Amino acid sequence: RIADFQEVLGEPTVALAKLRDLCFSGIPFDGGLRCLCWKILLNYLPLEKALWSSLLKKQRDLYSQFLKEMIIQPGIAKANLGVSREDVTLEDHPLNPNPDSRWNTYFKDNEVLLQIDKDVRRLYPDMAFFQRPTDYPCLLILDPQNEFETLRKRVEQTTLKSQTVARNRSGVTNVSSPLKTTPNALSEYEVLPNGCEAHWEVVERILFIYAKLNPGIAYVQGMNEIVGPLYYTFATDPNSEWKEHAEADTFFCFTNLMAEIRDNFIKSLDDSQCGITYKMEKVYSTLKEKDVELYLKLQEQNIKPQFFAFRWLTLLLSQEFLLPDVIRIWDSLFADDKRFDFLLLVCCAMLTLIRDQLLEGDFTLNMRLLQDYPISDVHLILKKAKELQDSK
């Protein structure tokens, strides 16, 4: 299999259809194949191999520019603004009501940053990876010479000063006082010494920059679950040159992936043809075609697809399985040329594989099965989804 991949990737122009076929059945981890394939499947790398190195250089330089403009500069401005009190004009004053004021932007950004921070600290708590220091901390930001405020400092200062307002996807707002935060909040993680950065901090930066560059959608809870597996895959690449640039590469692949699935995260589009409600209904209409008895049972119990399929579809199943299994499912999803049609079939396969339990269970039991899916063998699920696809 590795030889097959190497052959396709060795051509001057990669044959996309062949590559999709190979990736659909799972990509071997060896030799950084998965990272390379994902970058091609997510339209980050072009099919012409000769263009790769210049494109990567250009994109990575662009990402450095984003860091300078969105993290370093505001941090320096903040440090400088506090230096001399007498020359603070209304323009630079924290209470300036003008929406264009730098302070206003700073405070608005902090609201987004606090939400991102809360979510990224919880990424895959059963794995040590995200708490560990990265071998390639961002030198631009960690330069001991600089006096500016890093995102981590910003969060620590803001958390001390404010109540944390969390807004989840369904629009429910809960206000929790930072003094009463759960014990696993800021205190649980050992603070790494200066000059070190944990992997979750890198993910935080990627999401913060994405939110700044995409104000129309900004940050919505759950995006952390999409960026996590991408970053993990790139940051554990055996090739150190790829690994060193995991942050920039993840950012662009995440941006491309979000361009395809962002409608799921935009509440105002929920009921449109491209929104999440339509896709959830599609899971049920596909199930009705494939297994009418099971479909009728779920209807009769009034188990709506939004009770479980909302999370399955929006987060590309990243919450239902362990990380290595999520990555394997994503090989097939990214290789799907109809882009995520296969995801609907995977959801149907997950339902049909537990059909006997669902047909016997009552509402409570079935809800528990669907919200905490019992089968962990993703190969079995993918095989079933492929059978459903072939039986069309």
Side-chain angles (χ1 to χ4, degrees):
R1 276 184 62 69
I2 294 173
D4 291 345
F5 274 92
Q6 284 167 339
E7 187 185 333
V8 171
L9 294 166
E11 296 290 327
T13 301
V14 175
L16 187 58
K18 273 190 196 165
L19 185 68
R20 283 190 194 284
D21 266 0
L22 285 173
C23 295
F24 189 80
S25 314
I27 306 168
F29 176 72
D30 310 69
L33 284 174
R34 177 173 278 125
C35 296
L36 183 52
C37 293
W38 279 16
K39 284 171 182 147
I40 296 169
L41 295 174
L42 292 171
N43 304 316
Y44 178 45
L45 284 178
L47 298 176
E48 292 75 31
K49 214 167 154 183
L51 302 175
W52 287 357
S53 61
S54 62
L55 177 120
L56 287 170
K57 181 173 182 339
K58 186 173 127 245
Q59 296 300 85
R60 289 162 181 174
D61 288 349
L62 176 62
Y63 187 73
S64 293
Q65 201 51 43
F66 292 155
L67 292 178
K68 286 177 191 156
E69 285 171 24
M70 288 170 221
I71 293 178
I72 295 180
Q73 310 251 334
I76 290 173
K78 174 83 182 343
N80 294 347
L81 283 169
V83 177
S84 54
R85 297 303 316 152
E86 62 277 6
D87 62 352
V88 170
T89 61
L90 178 64
E91 199 37 56
D92 287 337
H93 196 281
L95 299 179
N96 177 5
N98 177 357
D100 300 330
S101 116
R102 275 198 296 192
W103 278 104
N104 198 333
T105 313
Y106 180 83
F107 291 137
K108 271 218 170 63
D109 289 349
N110 281 356
E111 285 176 28
V112 175
L113 181 57
L114 283 178
Q115 180 63 62
I116 293 174
D117 189 75
K118 214 168 94 203
D119 294 345
V120 292
R121 286 170 185 268
R122 294 191 296 228
L123 259 183
Y124 293 97
D126 48 343
M127 284 177 60
F129 171 79
F130 286 97
Q131 311 309 326
R132 286 207 194 107
T134 164
D135 295 339
Y136 301 101
C138 180
L139 299 176
L140 258 181
I141 286 177
L142 293 184
D143 177 358
Q145 297 301 309
N146 75 39
E147 283 299 309
F148 80 89
E149 196 186 30
T150 59
L151 288 185
R152 185 166 60 178
K153 279 190 205 156
R154 225 170 132 162
V155 168
E156 283 160 6
Q157 291 177 358
T158 313
T159 311
L160 292 173
K161 289 179 194 153
S162 71
Q163 287 201 317
T164 314
V165 177
R167 198 194 271 113
N168 65 20
R169 173 69 170 69
S170 55
V172 182
T173 302
N174 55 25
V175 177
S176 61
S177 159
L179 302 171
K180 296 200 184 74
T181 41
T182 45
N184 69 351
L186 291 165
S187 56
E188 183 188 345
Y189 305 116
E190 48 178 324
V191 175
L192 297 171
N194 281 345
C196 289
E197 266 191 319
H199 287 292
W200 66 263
E201 292 181 71
V202 181
V203 175
E204 174 165 83
R205 203 160 45 233
I206 292 169
L207 287 166
F208 182 70
I209 288 182
Y210 178 81
K212 289 279 287 173
L213 288 171
N214 296 275
I217 181 172
Y219 171 76
V220 180
Q221 220 168 359
M223 288 181 182
N224 54 315
E225 307 293 349
I226 302 281
V227 89
L230 282 176
Y231 174 73
Y232 174 81
T233 301
F234 294 171
T236 53
D237 191 302
N239 173 344
S240 62
E241 191 239 331
W242 288 94
K243 197 171 170 175
E244 184 179 343
H245 296 286
E247 180 176 350
D249 293 347
T250 301
F251 171 80
F252 289 108
C253 287
F254 171 67
T255 301
N256 290 358
L257 178 56
M258 282 305 297
E260 298 186 31
I261 63 170
R262 61 182 280 170
D263 294 350
N264 297 344
F265 287 90
I266 300 176
K267 206 167 166 44
S268 58
L269 292 178
D270 280 0
D271 298 319
S272 71
Q273 275 251 306
C274 54
I276 188 71
T277 309
Y278 177 75
K279 291 178 185 132
M280 291 190 292
E281 297 299 341
K282 199 106 192 281
V283 171
Y284 265 22
S285 56
T286 313
L287 181 67
K288 190 177 177 181
E289 272 169 45
K290 307 288 183 191
D291 189 338
V292 73
E293 187 188 358
L294 179 56
Y295 165 78
L296 290 171
K297 173 75 176 184
L298 295 174
Q299 287 288 52
E300 175 200 319
Q301 291 189 344
N302 203 17
I303 293 180
K304 297 185 176 5
Q306 44 270 48
F307 296 162
F308 60 93
F310 178 82
R311 190 174 73 189
W312 291 6
L313 294 168
T314 310
L315 304 182
L316 308 181
L317 296 168
S318 61
Q319 287 274 279
E320 312 313 312
F321 302 99
L322 295 170
L323 186 58
D325 295 329
V326 172
I327 288 170
R328 168 62 194 93
I329 292 172
W330 284 15
D331 287 344
S332 297
L333 294 185
F334 295 166
D336 171 21
D337 59 346
K338 294 206 177 55
R339 274 318 195 215
F340 308 117
D341 275 12
F342 187 65
L343 177 58
L344 299 173
L345 294 168
V346 174
C347 294
C348 276
M350 287 168 69
L351 293 170
T352 54
L353 285 170
I354 54 170
R355 76 184 298 271
D356 295 348
Q357 289 148 282
L358 289 170
L359 290 172
E360 280 170 27
D362 59 10
F363 175 86
T364 316
L365 204 68
N366 286 347
M367 282 298 293
R368 197 174 302 146
L369 276 173
L370 293 168
Q371 300 212 325
D372 186 6
Y373 190 74
I375 296 177
S376 57
D377 180 354
V378 296
H379 296 281
L380 179 68
I381 295 166
L382 290 168
K383 186 164 164 268
K384 182 72 183 166
K386 184 80 179 93
E387 282 166 20
L388 294 176
Q389 188 180 47
D390 295 341
S391 70
K392 277 194 170 174

